[in-house]
Every structure is written in structure tokens, then in C-alpha cells.
Amino acid sequence: MKKRLTLTLNPELSKNLVKTKTDCLVLGVNDGGALNTFASDIDKATKGIIGKLRKRGEFEAKVGQTAYIATNDGTSAERIFLVGLGKSSKKLSAEDLDKISSAITSGLTAKKSSNGVVCLPDKKFESENSSLNALLQKLGTALESSTYTYDAKLNKKNKKVNYLKKVSVLLESTQNISKLRKSLKTGQCIGQGMNAAKDLANLPGNVCTPSYLASTSRTASRNYQNLSCKVFGEKEMKKMGMDCLLSVGNGSAQESKLISMNYQGGKKGQKPYAIVGKGITFDTGGISLKPPATMDEMKFDMCGAASVIATMQVVAELKLPINLIGVVASAENMPGSKATKPGDVVKTMSGKTVEILNTDAEGRLVLADALTYVERFNPVSVIDIATLTGAVIMALGYSTSGLMSNNDELAKKLLEAGEKASDRAWQLPLWDVYQKDLDSNFADIANIGGRAGTITAACFLSRFAEKYPWAHLDVAGTASLKGAAKGGSGRPVPLLSQYLIDIAG
Ligand code: BES
Ligand code: MN
Ligand code: ZN
């Protein structure tokens, strides 16, 4: 995985903060009370500017509040950026830590600094060292992720400049330094994973095909000794009985692929965890064609797959002591003379037959066979990740992923991981009352039905996930961004990584 930023925790620098040359000196400041050592050193050198700002009420140092000091005669920094850490007595929540880490990141990127020094008064965190570790992890992720640019398909003269190259973090003491360094590094690694997922998401559908996802997974596996990759083409899938997955690619000239990655970080014979991603490299809707207005965004319909391929690399990079299977079910959903028609009935690998009432409900079809495929690994748990329904955006908007599960303990762990990693999900019910919406007159199960689109989609998947604890993440609203920032978001790589980090202990 590409690393764009040199990020270090460097306590030695702090001895001469006033003379430290940097494009941007970021100072964490407390709300009220005496200034911390860093802030007080700079305050003295700048004729008391921080004290003045605090006194005038311009910058009270509330959590996440910011202020630039553009010129700063008296120090060697080009500019100074103040970030509020709140009152000393205030216990910082996960959301507070998010605000602080985003504020620091925005300060470093907004003025196109190429390097920066971030001063965090760890005395503020003394009573709760875990929150300093959490902050450093978040900061690592936010900084690395913020350096992402996508210009793979731009002309040479339009290539984008990535300004921020180097950031050093300073603490007041060197206590627990190796653990704190590890937190920062873990965070940065998650940021690299997000960027890898964004790269796959942003490539156009004519480049990022099922075969492209397969070759990317193969190349990634070669970089890690205990990561391997197997790819099944249409012939092999036919042999395994995956007619349901194959039906989705029937209208496409691109060959469908099932990608199976295997990470062996735990003991041999230790049961693996599994993550399964929807990899529709373009979703036209098929014969149930989508309207044209925003159809281009359906190149993002492989973001579940991207998060799986990226998370496998994060886990391998962090050398987590677990076994992990990553499966990607990939096809292109196109209309055509060979395409599946509404009313067609196909047989799944599990033996159950499906009536395809709407060819635009294709994600669940590729996942059904992938979920049956992972049974062979006898997994501890299986999480599938999919841009599955527009309805999840109606329910939760663009900030929160939908979570559904047949196992409350697993659901709880995923919700907690999302909270910790600033990549939140919210659980929707999977009650039996919704299951009958999928009754069909012509097959064992219909591929659409009912009004609760996100839940019935999960109900469909649940029929193929009966043999293990399973959770489904609907990331249709969260895996890509709209408007000026249009592009892959890198989610839910942080949630998945955090879940696996927590499991690994
Ligand atoms: N890939 C789409 C879901 C989607 C919609 C993702 C908007 C991102 C943004 C999925 O394959 C789909 O088309 N779902 C249908 C299901 C319906 C036919 C039951 C939908 O949500 O409209
Ligand atoms: Mn669709
Ligand atoms: Zn789709």
C-alpha cells in the first residue's frame, strides 16, 4: 500500500519549539487555566498572542475550535494554528477526539503546508492515557487519508499536487512512547487502506472491471508473505453451481470473477474470520434499467469489494494474529440479448431457487453464492459489505452505514468498532415479519419485495447465511461522497480494520 505521508512521533523536537522550522506549527490549547508548556513557550515568544486571543474571547479553546496566526515574529514557524482541546477537566468523547483530529488535519491542509509540527500536551490526557492513544490513531488515519489525490486518468499538466509530505507529532513527556507510536502507525495504516479503496472506487467502469479487481487482488497478495489469492472465472463458478452469481453478468462482455483471498496471521487450523464484498464494477440495472441522471455513480457499486481488498492489506500490514478470508463477488450488470430478464428463475449454489423480479436488485444475487462459498472455511463470523440499496440513504443519509445481523453480539462489536474508528453504522431489525415479503409463486424466494428495501435486501442475504454468525453492512450512502468531493470515501475500511484489531486483542 502506498504511503503518502512521513509521520513521526518525535519528542526530541520539543526542546526548542520556538526555533523549530516548520510550515505550520499546530498547538493544542486548553480552555482556561494556565497554558500548557508548548503554548506557553510560543506565547512568550510572540508577545503573548495566545493569551490575548483567549482573553478577548476570539479563541476560547473549546473542543475542535481553531484559529490561525498568520504572521508570528518571534518563532521560526511560517504560521501557527491553534486547536482547542476543551477544559482540562472535560473527559473527551470519541466525537470530541474526532473534532480535534479533523481540526488539526484541516489546519495542515488548508494553507497548503508541505510539513507540519503538531504539539499535543499529553498532560491534558494524563488521567486517561487511552484517549491519547485513540486521538493519535484517529490523527494518523485523518492525516494519511487527507493526502489522497486521484489523477490517474488526467493529462500530465493536470496532475494534482499533494502538498502535505511530512508531519511530526510532539508530546510533553516520553511516557508510554512506544505504545503511542504504535497507535499513530496503526491509524496511518488504516488511512493507507482507505486510500487504496478510494483508488479502486474512483477508477472508471471501463478500467475497473471484474478482471481488474482480480489482478489488483493478486498483485496485493504478492506483497505479503502470508496473504494468498485465488481467482475463479465463469467456467469454474459454473462447476461450483453459482448460477445465481453468474446470472448477473449474463448481459456483459466482461467475465464475472470470484476472488478469494486468504490471510494466515493466526495459528494453522485456527478458525478464520471472513469478509465478503459486493463487486459490481458497473450497475446499469440490467433490463430493469436505471434512469440516466446519476448512473455514472454506479461505478462505485464495487466499493464493498474495494473495502475487502483494502482491509486484507491493512490486516497483513499490521500483522494481526488472526486468520482472515476475504471474498469478492464481481460482475458487471448490463442489459443485452443474453441478460437476465424479470421473471427468470435461477438456482443458487445453496440449492435454493430465486425468481429475479428486478434485475437491478443484483448485489444480493452475487452475494448469495459468495455467502454459500465461504461456508467451506468454517468461519467464526462473516461480514458482507455492499452498496446494496438506495433505501439505506432514505433511512440513514450519507453519514451512517446500515447494519443488520443474525447475531446481536457480532452486531454490537461492529457498532462499537464503527464508533471507535469514526466510521459509524446503525442497526436495523431483521425480524421474521419482513421475511415473507420475499415469497414467490414461482421459486423458493423472490429477489425483491415489500417496502423496507434495506431490510428485505438483508433478509434475502440471511437465507444464505444460516450456517454462521453473520452481519451485513449496507454502505450505499457512505462508501462514496457527493458534490464537489465526488469520489470514494474509503469507508468502511476503518470500521472493518478496527473490528479486526479489537478481535486480535
Ligand atoms: N447499487 C444499487 C444500490 C445503490 C443505489 C447504491 C444508490 C448507491 C446509490 C443496487 O444494486 C440497486 O439498484 N438497488 C435497488 C434495489 C431495488 C431494485 C429493490 C435500489 O435500491 O433501488
Ligand atoms: Mn442495482
Ligand atoms: Zn448494485
Side-chain angles (χ1 to χ4, degrees):
M1 280 189 302
K2 192 145 113 195
K3 193 185 271 181
R4 291 171 169 83
L5 189 69
T6 307
L7 182 58
T8 51
L9 211 170
N10 209 343
E12 302 81 47
L13 266 176
S14 62
K15 298 204 177 87
N16 215 337
L17 195 56
V18 173
K19 289 211 177 112
T20 299
K21 281 208 174 83
T22 176
D23 287 352
C24 187
L25 184 67
V26 180
L27 284 176
V29 181
N30 282 5
D31 180 358
L35 287 170
N36 62 65
T37 358
F38 297 134
S40 130
D41 281 359
I42 297 300
D43 195 53
K44 275 181 208 142
T46 57
K47 300 188 186 143
I49 187 126
I50 301 173
K52 271 182 221 158
L53 286 174
R54 282 212 308 187
K55 204 177 260 164
R56 288 203 296 245
E58 263 178 65
F59 175 76
E60 298 152 285
K62 293 206 183 333
V63 169
Q65 198 185 11
T66 61
Y68 264 111
I69 305 172
T71 52
N72 52 85
D73 304 334
T75 83
S76 299
E78 289 292 330
R79 55 184 75 76
I80 294 172
F81 185 67
L82 307 180
V83 173
L85 302 175
K87 290 218 186 309
S88 315
S89 55
K90 187 185 192 307
K91 193 166 162 48
L92 297 168
S93 67
E95 218 162 3
D96 289 337
L97 297 176
D98 275 347
K99 283 185 195 158
I100 293 168
S101 109
S102 326
I104 294 170
T105 305
S106 72
L108 287 167
T109 50
K111 307 281 187 215
K112 301 186 172 167
S113 300
S114 84
N115 61 70
V117 172
V118 178
C119 303
L120 293 175
D122 44 329
K123 297 221 172 91
K124 153 84 192 164
F125 304 91
E126 218 160 42
S127 58
E128 27 165 354
N129 204 262
S130 65
S131 75
L132 184 55
N133 276 297
L135 177 60
L136 287 173
Q137 187 185 314
K138 281 179 196 290
L139 188 61
T141 303
L143 284 173
E144 180 67 29
S145 171
S146 79
T147 59
Y148 180 79
T149 52
Y150 174 77
D151 57 13
K153 299 293 157 193
L154 298 187
N155 188 290
K156 227 184 207 154
K157 60 177 190 290
N158 288 328
K159 289 287 180 201
K160 293 181 185 160
V161 185
N162 168 19
Y163 293 96
L164 193 61
K165 294 260 158 52
K166 199 175 166 196
V167 175
S168 304
V169 178
L170 307 186
L171 304 171
E172 284 171 302
S173 77
T174 51
Q175 247 177 13
N176 301 322
I177 194 89
S178 63
K179 183 148 183 251
L180 294 165
R181 261 195 191 121
K182 197 172 163 205
S183 298
L184 189 66
K185 200 174 153 225
T186 299
Q188 185 175 17
C189 187
I190 294 171
Q192 288 171 254
M194 292 175 78
N195 292 345
K198 290 181 215 173
D199 263 339
L200 285 173
N202 291 336
L203 284 169
N206 60 329
V207 175
C208 184
T209 59
S211 305
Y212 185 91
L213 288 182
S215 64
T216 303
S217 307
R218 256 196 228 105
T219 311
S221 303
R222 284 199 196 105
N223 292 332
Y224 305 95
Q225 191 217 322
N226 49 1
L227 185 61
S228 63
C229 176
K230 216 164 146 179
V231 177
F232 302 96
E234 291 184 351
K235 247 187 168 165
E236 292 152 298
M237 284 194 269
K238 182 88 200 154
K239 256 193 228 153
M240 291 192 279
M242 298 185 167
D243 283 9
C244 188
L245 189 160
L246 288 169
S247 74
V248 174
N250 276 350
S252 169
Q254 296 294 334
E255 188 180 356
S256 302
K257 302 279 183 187
L258 184 83
I259 306 164
S260 185
M261 302 171 87
N262 189 339
Y263 169 74
Q264 289 279 338
K267 291 201 188 75
K268 239 194 161 143
Q270 195 175 312
K271 273 176 134 198
Y273 293 84
I275 50 180
V276 178
K278 169 180 173 182
I280 300 299
T281 58
F282 198 83
D283 180 14
T284 64
I287 298 298
S288 315
L289 195 64
K290 285 185 180 294
T294 55
M295 204 205 273
D296 66 292
E297 292 172 16
M298 285 302 126
K299 73 170 183 177
F300 296 132
D301 213 17
M302 34 55 68
C303 280
S307 74
V308 167
I309 297 169
T311 301
M312 294 307 290
Q313 293 174 80
V314 171
V315 167
E317 194 83 43
L318 294 175
K319 301 190 168 77
L320 296 186
I322 55 167
N323 293 334
L324 179 66
I325 302 290
V327 170
V328 165
S330 188
E332 185 184 60
N333 188 19
M334 294 287 276
S337 66
K338 292 181 182 167
T340 302
K341 303 167 292 297
D344 283 1
V345 173
V346 295
K347 194 167 184 178
T348 62
M349 187 184 184
S350 74
K352 289 177 184 162
T353 56
V354 177
E355 184 187 14
I356 301 175
L357 289 169
N358 188 322
T359 64
D360 199 9
E362 84 298 338
R364 61 199 78 181
L365 300 178
V366 296
L367 289 172
D369 282 341
L371 288 171
T372 304
Y373 168 79
V374 292
E375 281 176 8
R376 68 183 58 194
F377 300 105
N378 192 17
V380 185
S381 70
V382 179
I383 303 161
D384 79 72
I385 307 98
T387 47
L388 206 62
T389 65
V392 78
I393 303 171
M394 298 298 118
L396 298 170
Y398 294 105
S399 57
T400 309
S401 304
L403 170 71
M404 284 137 281
S405 178
N406 64 11
N407 183 299
D408 278 337
E409 206 177 309
L410 173 60
K412 190 165 164 259
K413 279 188 194 147
L414 287 166
L415 291 171
E416 281 168 7
E419 184 91 33
K420 253 197 201 171
S422 324
D423 184 6
R424 284 189 293 195
W426 191 255
Q427 192 175 5
L428 299 173
L430 253 193
W431 294 316
D432 282 346
V433 285
Y434 297 103
Q435 292 284 358
K436 64 176 181 320
D437 289 343
L438 297 172
D439 288 352
S440 160
N441 284 346
F442 305 104
D444 296 326
I445 177 174
N447 81 326
I448 57 162
R451 292 291 288 164
T454 303
I455 294 172
T456 50
C459 284
F460 182 92
L461 297 177
S462 74
R463 310 281 185 105
F464 303 92
E466 288 165 346
K467 304 221 167 111
Y468 41 68
W470 156 83
H472 158 62
L473 284 166
D474 193 333
V475 295
T478 53
S480 61
L481 303 168
K482 296 254 178 200
K486 187 161 159 179
S489 68
R491 295 177 65 180
V493 172
L495 183 157
L496 294 171
S497 304
Q498 187 67 56
Y499 167 73
L500 295 164
I501 288 167
D502 289 347
I503 273 170

